Amino acid sequence: MNKPITGHTVSEREHLFPDLENLFCDLNIREYQNAMLKAQEAVVTFLENTHRPFSGVSPKELRTQFETINLNDLPKDYEEVFDEVTRLYTRHAVAFHHPKYVAHLNCPVVIPAVAAEVMISSVNSSLDTWDQSAGGTLMEQKLIEWTCGEIGYGKNSDGIFTSGGSQSNLMGMLLARDYYSIKYFNHNIKKNGLPENAHRFRIFVSEAAHFSIQKSASILGLGEQAVVKVKTDRFFRMNSVLLDDAIRKEAENGNIPIAVVATAGTTDFGNIDPLNQISAIAKKYKMWFHVDAAYGCALLLTDRYRNLINGIEKADSVTVDYHKSFFQPVSSSGFLVKDKNYFTLITHYADYLNPKDHDENEIPNQVNKSIQTTRRFDALKLWFTLRIIGKKGLGSYINRMIGTAREAASLLENDPHFEVLNRSDISALVFRYSADPFRTFDLNRINTYIKAQLYRNGNALVAGTKVNGQFYLKFTILNPLTTIEDIQTILTTIKQYGNEYIEVN
């Protein structure tokens, strides 16, 4: 039998370390297999018992079950813990794979990515430096190269996997701030902190943009006041004429326009800002151009709808959320830049981690491009997915989702019980129940009631949002299993609750 570097055989080490039977190592392969089998059985049970997207449990009802739990109790066996987790968690977990879950930007996941998750968690590589994940580093870089190519970037582009769209947007605003400061004021924020005029920096977004841009401005020391919201057109896309006006007005008031953020797939409406027009305006005023494509990145997968995001290749940076539109488990996202030299703005060297001579010796360290240090090997999930399903296979899912959304829009528009607020470029629909022709009842109250009843019943889940102070319901169709028949069933249920409210009140 081969001896490891400790000088002990596996059998000898089993006697030396009898108290380490739960540690992931070669001593405990059977324990690992047993635990994985039980986890697999628990997931299969979850799938087999998912007859509706949600149990309908209330926070109060579920919280009472936690009151008797003492985490300092004597350890339990796997059987007991899985039973407990089933009772507290999976029995009430929202089933994103259910065809009648049409609420938020949560997609069902593909099996190859789930298989990869087992390897990611078990091997537990950290993707910050080469000496912690050699092959993983190169696999991540290859996937970044592929994504950059799909966007339309050239060979000088680069990127990094992130925890989500909010982090990617933060990185976009961070580079925008630091790039503008060093290029136009010869001031290095990384070394010297914010310049005196930083309070006058301005970032322009549409009023339908994601709130993470405001959070980013706050985190970066610019304050939420730095974010200028530009009104949208009647299709809820940024109005480029008003954008130009807003930039000129801010400049006339002594402020400094540094960046424009276009959204390729707004959270509420699933619509795409005019990327080419916005790019031209950003270039005209020498501003950083960032595209938040956390939702709309799905269009990169489909030839049929890819043209909807033409112009994304002109962006200085792009946010991509694989865990929204590529059917990946959370978390799996990316931040891409047109010019890899932008990353020098955030690179820090540490002798114990990524010394500068690594660059000279061409040793790739992903931490040079990240605001995180330790990072999971989330890229492996996308690697499995592309190698097993392929871009074309994923693209067929997207085509089906968008087709269902367009059929759903037609259903809503032709049903007198509903008002439709928008037609989506992708797969989000904002609408409300409005069957009271004399408007005797408050439509906000009716639709709030409908959403609450759907949640309490759990047979279908929809989202809600406010537009101009009015409450609307929202479908977000991110599941290729969702059919137009499922949508019809949900609409029938919505009408039942709407009629119920009118009758009772």
Side-chain angles (χ1 to χ4, degrees), residues 71-90:
L71 295 177
N72 289 322
D73 284 344
L74 290 174
K76 301 175 181 291
D77 60 27
Y78 278 109
E79 206 73 47
E80 292 174 300
V81 171
F82 275 113
D83 286 345
E84 180 180 75
V85 170
T86 296
R87 177 171 54 85
L88 298 175
Y89 171 56
T90 51

Side-chain angles (χ1 to χ4, degrees), residues 160-171 210 212 292 294 319-324 330-335 372 378:
I160 193 76
F161 270 67
T162 68
S163 65
S166 292
Q167 183 183 328
S168 294
N169 285 340
L170 173 62
M171 290 185 71
H210 196 263
S212 60
D292 177 3
T319 288
V320 170
D321 256 12
Y322 306 110
H323 63 220
K324 282 191 175 70
V330 174
S331 60
S332 183
S333 302
F335 173 69
Q372 289 177 263
D378 287 317

Side-chain angles (χ1 to χ4, degrees), residues 213-397:
I213 302 301
Q214 289 168 281
K215 286 186 69 175
S216 297
S218 175
I219 291 168
L220 294 172
L222 305 179
E224 292 186 1
Q225 56 91 35
V227 178
V228 178
K229 292 187 176 182
V230 178
K231 287 190 176 297
T232 57
D233 60 21
R234 62 192 180 95
F235 301 108
F236 302 98
R237 304 183 184 103
M238 183 189 283
N239 187 314
S240 58
V241 173
L242 296 181
L243 169 64
D244 197 293
D245 288 344
I247 294 170
R248 284 191 293 101
K249 286 178 182 176
E250 290 296 329
E252 289 169 2
N253 289 334
N255 293 319
I256 305 168
I258 66 166
V260 179
V261 179
T263 307
T266 52
T267 302
D268 272 348
F269 305 105
N271 282 341
I272 298 165
D273 291 336
L275 303 182
N276 281 308
Q277 295 172 35
I278 295 170
S279 169
I281 292 170
K283 185 177 181 180
K284 172 183 172 182
Y285 291 102
K286 299 179 180 179
M287 300 164 67
W288 185 276
F289 178 36
H290 176 74
V291 174
D292 177 3
Y295 182 5
C297 62
L299 301 173
L300 296 173
L301 297 168
T302 167
D303 293 335
R304 188 180 301 175
Y305 301 109
R306 172 61 176 79
N307 65 295
L308 294 175
I309 51 171
N310 285 349
I312 193 171
E313 72 282 355
K314 298 175 182 177
D316 294 295
S317 57
V318 175
T319 288
V320 170
D321 256 12
Y322 306 110
H323 63 220
K324 282 191 175 70
S325 304
F326 283 59
F327 308 99
Q328 300 297 288
V330 174
S331 60
S332 183
S333 302
F335 173 69
L336 300 311
V337 292
K338 183 188 291 185
D339 186 344
K340 62 185 178 184
N341 292 312
Y342 293 145
F343 280 124
T344 61
L345 294 166
I346 59 171
T347 301
H348 290 265
Y349 295 100
D351 289 336
Y352 57 83
L353 189 69
N354 61 328
K356 200 163 188 176
D357 61 12
H358 278 195
D359 287 354
E360 297 163 6
N361 295 319
E362 297 185 349
I363 298 174
N365 290 317
Q366 296 293 82
V367 73
N368 294 350
K369 300 176 285 187
S370 178
I371 58 175
Q372 289 177 263
T373 303
T374 303
R375 284 188 308 114
R376 298 180 80 243
F377 185 19
D378 287 317
L380 187 63
K381 294 177 287 193
L382 185 58
W383 186 278
F384 266 62
T385 301
L386 288 176
R387 301 305 278 170
I388 293 173
I389 300 175
K391 174 188 171 183
K392 187 175 180 180
L394 291 177
S396 69
Y397 295 178

Side-chain angles (χ1 to χ4, degrees), residues 15-272:
H15 292 290
L16 283 171
F17 308 114
D19 57 332
L20 299 180
E21 70 272 13
N22 291 308
L23 196 67
F24 179 77
C25 66
D26 58 338
L27 296 178
N28 301 318
I29 290 174
R30 287 184 181 177
E31 182 74 4
Y32 169 78
Q33 290 174 320
N34 176 57
M36 292 300 102
L37 181 60
K38 290 189 180 299
Q40 184 184 70
E41 290 171 349
V43 173
V44 169
T45 300
F46 168 66
L47 289 173
E48 290 176 339
N49 292 304
T50 306
H51 306 303
R52 51 182 180 164
F54 183 56
S55 69
V57 70
S58 70
K60 183 178 180 180
E61 290 168 337
L62 191 54
R63 192 177 287 118
T64 58
Q65 297 186 46
F66 284 81
E67 291 173 356
T68 58
I69 293 174
N70 183 349
L71 295 177
N72 289 322
D73 284 344
L74 290 174
K76 301 175 181 291
D77 60 27
Y78 278 109
E79 206 73 47
E80 292 174 300
V81 171
F82 275 113
D83 286 345
E84 180 180 75
V85 170
T86 296
R87 177 171 54 85
L88 298 175
Y89 171 56
T90 51
R91 188 174 294 164
H92 307 293
V94 176
F96 300 142
H97 65 277
H98 196 286
K100 291 188 180 69
Y101 177 86
V102 288
H104 302 287
L105 280 165
N106 306 112
C107 63
V109 296
V110 290
I111 294 171
V114 175
E117 276 282 12
V118 177
M119 293 189 68
I120 292 166
S121 299
S122 301
V123 181
N124 202 33
S125 298
S126 181
L127 264 286
D128 42 331
T129 57
W130 168 263
D131 62 0
Q132 297 177 74
S133 184
T137 294
L138 297 182
M139 291 173 92
E140 177 172 318
Q141 289 185 340
K142 188 70 176 178
L143 287 166
I144 289 295
E145 179 185 330
W146 173 80
T147 307
C148 286
E150 294 301 315
I151 287 171
Y153 278 166
K155 291 185 176 181
N156 205 43
S157 58
D158 203 354
I160 193 76
F161 270 67
T162 68
S163 65
S166 292
Q167 183 183 328
S168 294
N169 285 340
L170 173 62
M171 290 185 71
M173 296 304 93
L174 171 60
L175 294 187
R177 183 198 67 178
D178 288 24
Y179 173 79
Y180 197 94
S181 180
I182 205 163
K183 183 172 178 65
Y184 296 106
F185 300 119
N186 196 30
H187 181 94
N188 189 321
I189 291 178
K190 182 173 71 173
K191 292 182 179 179
N192 303 312
L194 291 173
E196 290 183 4
N197 54 7
H199 66 283
R200 296 194 284 121
F201 285 0
R202 294 293 181 268
I203 299 165
F204 297 80
V205 302
S206 92
E207 58 187 354
H210 196 263
F211 72 91
S212 60
I213 302 301
Q214 289 168 281
K215 286 186 69 175
S216 297
S218 175
I219 291 168
L220 294 172
L222 305 179
E224 292 186 1
Q225 56 91 35
V227 178
V228 178
K229 292 187 176 182
V230 178
K231 287 190 176 297
T232 57
D233 60 21
R234 62 192 180 95
F235 301 108
F236 302 98
R237 304 183 184 103
M238 183 189 283
N239 187 314
S240 58
V241 173
L242 296 181
L243 169 64
D244 197 293
D245 288 344
I247 294 170
R248 284 191 293 101
K249 286 178 182 176
E250 290 296 329
E252 289 169 2
N253 289 334
N255 293 319
I256 305 168
I258 66 166
V260 179
V261 179
T263 307
T266 52
T267 302
D268 272 348
F269 305 105
N271 282 341
I272 298 165

